[in-house]
Amino acid sequence: MSAVVVTGLAVAAPNGLGAANYWKAVLAGTLGIDRVSRYDVSGYPSRFAGEILDFDVAAHVPGRLIPQTDPVTKLAIAVADWAIADAGVELSALDSGTLGVTTSNASGGFDFTQREVQKLWTLGPDHVSAYQCFAWFYAVNTGQISIRNDLRGAGGSIVADQAGGLDAIGHARRLIRRGQRVSVAGGLEAPLNPYAFVSQIAHGGLSRAGSAERAYLPFDAEAAGYVPGEGGALLILEDAEAAAERGAPQIYGSIAGYGSSFDPHPDSGRGPTLGRAVRTALADAELEPGEIDVVFADAAGLPGPDAAEAATLAEVFGPHGVPVTAPKSTVGRLIAGGPPLDVATALLALRDQVIPPTVGTRAPAPGYALDLVLGAPRSAPLRTALVLARGFGGFNSALVLRR
């Protein structure tokens, strides 16, 4: 069976728009986390987030779509355009029935919804936009990307919190193996308007730190919560032989393996199943644990989940058995947008043979047998990478990339 390869990728992140700007920022350890600037958060217990502040909507989104779409969909439209251009694929020359898009999103169009609900409360139903009927929906990114680019093949939208970002890529890989010509895959989120931010605070997992630099500290002894962020990444997936035949300008790597699992209820007495997802992905890739060169961790930034992930990595790879990094420490946890961003980061790491650092964390907490890449990028011979994601409620996903 021919490999499924990534021929294009694009990124929107709090510390960089576009893959080149983002990659430069990550290697430099540039923090995209700061105090929320769009509204007054002085009364909130959590005040920091990864905001995208330099996205010029009018420059990247058709004018007719601006009033119809939430900020997350505006980002998705632009990032899809960038990824398609990066792949150098002429979609109009291909059968539209063989072109698809699969995205993940867990929060939907929060900003659009808040605005329209406020109109309903204060002005009445006649003032609510007709576009609310789809602008709020978690599947709208898939719909708008497919309409804009005439992608009429199979696809979909997957909801599994963080893990959904990897599940979308795994699903798109499956479709390519079944004969789809090109698939756009990944995820984006924009959950930072007041409605969305307060909803996440209510969850209880957000950091209440007093500074941006110490707000999100995955695997650190002082880890006390995560920082939310917006953005994500989209990839262009193709069959390797088809990509070579059309003369794709670059191959970032292949999607070598994928696995997922679901944790049992906490009262069941059984433990988490992230290790099962990892082993499934390794078996799918036909690799042994010792053949993985770097792990891009889920990095919850909470003591319990961090300890569980560290224990899983030590069990599968041995204590300090593989370099581990969490470059999301520069941007926050982007829900379904975070894992595709990690996949894009891992592919760039494989390309340039360098592991980006975990920022903020000073050292792994006692008892975490991790070879955590800290402080500065680490040059290393990289052939493979493992990307992990866990979603609220028990979702686990793992993706193996091969250079």
Side-chain angles (χ1 to χ4, degrees):
M1 183 180 294
S2 181
V4 176
V5 296
V6 179
T7 58
L9 60 84
V11 165
N15 59 355
L17 282 177
N21 291 329
Y22 164 74
W23 183 231
K24 180 180 178 180
V26 165
L27 291 180
T30 302
L31 198 64
I33 296 168
D34 207 340
R35 186 183 178 95
V36 173
S37 65
R38 295 170 186 163
Y39 47 91
D40 182 14
V41 293
S42 59
Y44 294 180
S46 300
R47 302 174 184 177
F48 296 95
E51 294 180 294
I52 295 176
L53 300 174
D54 55 350
F55 180 63
D56 184 351
V57 174
H60 299 294
V61 179
R64 64 180 179 81
L65 291 178
I66 291 175
Q68 302 179 20
T69 51
D70 183 83
V72 69
T73 306
K74 294 177 176 68
L75 285 173
I77 290 168
V79 173
D81 286 351
W82 301 341
I84 292 166
D86 185 53
V89 59
E90 188 62 47
L91 297 178
S92 61
L94 303 173
D95 176 2
S96 62
T98 67
L99 312 175
V101 54
T102 303
T103 68
S104 184
N105 177 278
S107 55
F110 256 119
D111 188 79
F112 200 103
T113 296
Q114 177 174 337
R115 184 171 64 250
E116 299 309 314
V117 169
Q118 285 175 326
K119 290 179 184 177
L120 177 64
W121 286 345
T122 59
L123 301 173
D126 291 342
H127 296 270
V128 175
S129 171
Y131 299 123
Q132 171 63 16
C133 67
F134 62 80
W136 71 273
F137 195 36
Y138 57 80
V140 70
N141 296 340
T142 288
Q144 291 287 7
I145 293 169
S146 65
I147 292 168
R148 176 165 171 77
N149 297 285
D150 196 28
L151 311 179
R152 304 190 182 205
S157 183
I158 295 176
V159 181
D161 195 65
Q162 286 265 143
L166 292 189
D167 294 338
I169 298 170
H171 181 64
R173 172 184 182 239
R174 188 179 302 117
L175 293 174
I176 294 292
R177 285 181 158 181
R178 292 176 179 174
Q180 190 166 93
R181 180 65 181 79
V182 175
S183 188
V184 181
L188 290 111
E189 301 272 5
L192 298 183
N193 68 301
Y195 174 23
F197 196 51
V198 171
S199 296
Q200 292 178 85
I201 290 173
H203 169 270
L206 263 59
S207 170
R208 302 190 177 197
S211 71
E213 291 75 19
R214 301 299 291 167
Y216 178 35
L217 307 171
F219 301 112
D220 194 285
E222 297 180 17
Y226 69 90
V227 170
E230 59 189 347
L234 292 173
L235 314 175
I236 305 300
L237 271 55
E238 299 184 62
D239 175 85
E241 293 179 359
E245 183 179 345
R246 75 167 178 88
Q250 73 268 313
I251 303 292
Y252 288 100
S254 65
I255 310 297
Y258 163 72
S260 63
S261 65
F262 193 79
D263 292 341
H265 192 278
D267 295 337
S268 69
R270 292 176 287 149
T273 61
L274 177 64
R276 182 188 304 167
V278 172
R279 291 187 178 89
T280 301
L282 291 174
D284 187 31
E286 300 182 342
L287 293 173
E288 296 297 325
E291 295 178 279
I292 294 296
D293 297 319
V294 61
V295 173
F296 284 73
D298 174 68
L302 290 159
D306 278 357
E309 185 173 20
T312 294
L313 293 175
E315 177 190 356
V316 174
F317 298 101
H320 309 281
V322 62
V324 177
T325 188
K328 60 168 63 74
S329 57
T330 63
V331 297
R333 288 176 69 81
L334 312 186
I335 316 182
L341 184 62
D342 275 345
V343 171
T345 310
L347 290 167
L348 296 171
L350 293 175
R351 182 193 69 183
D352 293 349
Q353 299 288 279
V354 61
I355 304 172
T358 306
V359 174
T361 301
R362 292 169 180 163
Y368 295 180
L370 295 178
D371 176 16
L372 196 61
V373 179
L374 298 170
R378 180 190 297 181
S379 296
L382 302 177
R383 302 154 298 164
T384 59
L386 173 69
V387 181
L388 303 181
R390 293 173 295 179
F392 178 71
F395 299 98
N396 305 290
S397 293
L399 199 75
V400 175
L401 305 168
R402 182 180 283 116
R403 188 183 181 202

